[in-house]
Amino acid sequence: MKKGIDKLIEKLMSKGINDRKVLEILRKVPREIFVEQPLRSAELCYGETPLPIGHSQTISSVYTVALMTQALDLSKNHKVLEIGTGSGYQAAILSFLAASVFTIERIRDLSLKARSAVESLNIHNITFIIGDGTIGFNEYSPYDRILITACSPDIPAPLFKQLNEGGTMVIPVERNGSQSICLIEKKNGVMHSKDIAPANFVKLIGKNGYETERPQQF
Ligand code: SAM
């Protein structure tokens, strides 16, 4: 797998991923742990595409994970909320760069699998929550950083409320039929937003996201 990672890191650098801490952690966390057995080849795990993880959901491409992680500008004292645990790969990456990570997933089976993948890597600063991430998780708020890894029709109000003053949120948003990753900052309680890249995410489904397509599996 090592050759695959080296090549991918080179590609990421050529695409503007230059945060050394992020690149170092991408090397360290084995993505193959987070995908189904038949997909565990270097070509797929360290290729440039998202991969299926079941339930019509995906593990984001490494470039997308790198871009969003870099945009969060994490410090070791940060408390992070992630919406959309999926495979758990992004949460694992965040766990090495922050103090603690709370990650919410609406599909129970994915959350349980993610938890066991993370445990196999001896990571102990991630709390897994099963539920609707569009309402956030007030009990542990405020969060210094919030990352949403599914596309939202808007910025969910409870998430902005649970963001710490001076904090940053990274979220893919759909406008006029196309998606972009937005960097949101909270300054004196006011939202400042800028688009950082185009995106192609699965939908954020919930009370403050898109409508439920099928019964939720809490
Ligand atoms: N971060 C993930 C990873 O590293 O594998 C990839 C996330 S995948 C692109 C998006 C995830 O968001 C899916 O697992 C989906 O079930 C989840 N999701 C969608 N709406 C949600 C909601 N309201 N609350 C929590 N999770 C949600």
Side-chain angles (χ1 to χ4, degrees), residues 9-163:
I9 296 284
E10 262 176 46
K11 274 193 195 144
L12 295 178
M13 290 172 77
S14 74
K15 288 165 110 179
I17 307 299
N18 46 30
D19 184 324
R20 287 189 172 278
K21 282 187 294 175
V22 173
L23 293 169
E24 190 187 311
I25 300 306
L26 289 172
R27 274 187 196 283
K28 186 166 167 174
V29 177
R31 190 167 182 247
E32 57 274 19
I33 301 280
F34 297 88
V35 302
E36 300 287 341
Q37 192 73 46
L39 305 177
R40 290 184 184 174
S41 67
E43 291 72 27
L44 290 174
C45 292
Y46 298 101
E48 290 185 77
T49 53
L51 296 171
I53 54 171
H55 302 272
S56 308
Q57 305 302 323
T58 53
I59 174 173
S60 306
S61 73
V62 184
Y63 172 68
T64 302
V65 171
L67 181 79
M68 292 176 108
T69 308
Q70 179 168 276
L72 283 173
D73 192 19
L74 291 158
S75 293
K76 272 286 189 190
N77 61 342
H78 283 158
K79 183 168 38 158
V80 183
L81 176 67
E82 181 197 23
I83 313 301
T85 311
S87 69
Y89 177 65
Q90 173 77 73
I93 299 287
L94 298 172
S95 75
F96 286 98
L97 298 163
S100 55
V101 178
F102 296 83
T103 181
I104 310 181
E105 171 57 57
R106 64 185 284 276
I107 300 173
R108 175 184 291 276
D109 179 48
L110 291 181
S111 179
L112 297 179
K113 278 189 187 149
R115 187 187 305 220
S116 82
V118 158
E119 279 172 2
S120 76
L121 294 176
N122 277 321
I123 295 171
H124 300 293
N125 59 344
I126 304 180
T127 303
F128 291 86
I129 299 149
I130 299 169
D132 177 5
T134 69
I135 57 174
F137 202 69
N138 210 16
E139 285 88 328
Y140 294 101
S141 70
Y143 303 95
D144 303 298
R145 299 289 185 263
I146 300 182
L147 175 62
I148 294 89
T149 64
C151 182
S152 179
D154 212 336
I155 313 299
L159 296 185
F160 186 69
K161 201 168 168 205
Q162 290 170 30
L163 184 64

Side-chain angles (χ1 to χ4, degrees), residues 132 134 151-154 156 203-212:
D132 177 5
T134 69
C151 182
S152 179
D154 212 336
K203 285 185 174 176
L204 181 73
I205 295 169
K207 188 168 179 234
N208 301 293
Y210 290 94
E211 278 177 26
T212 310

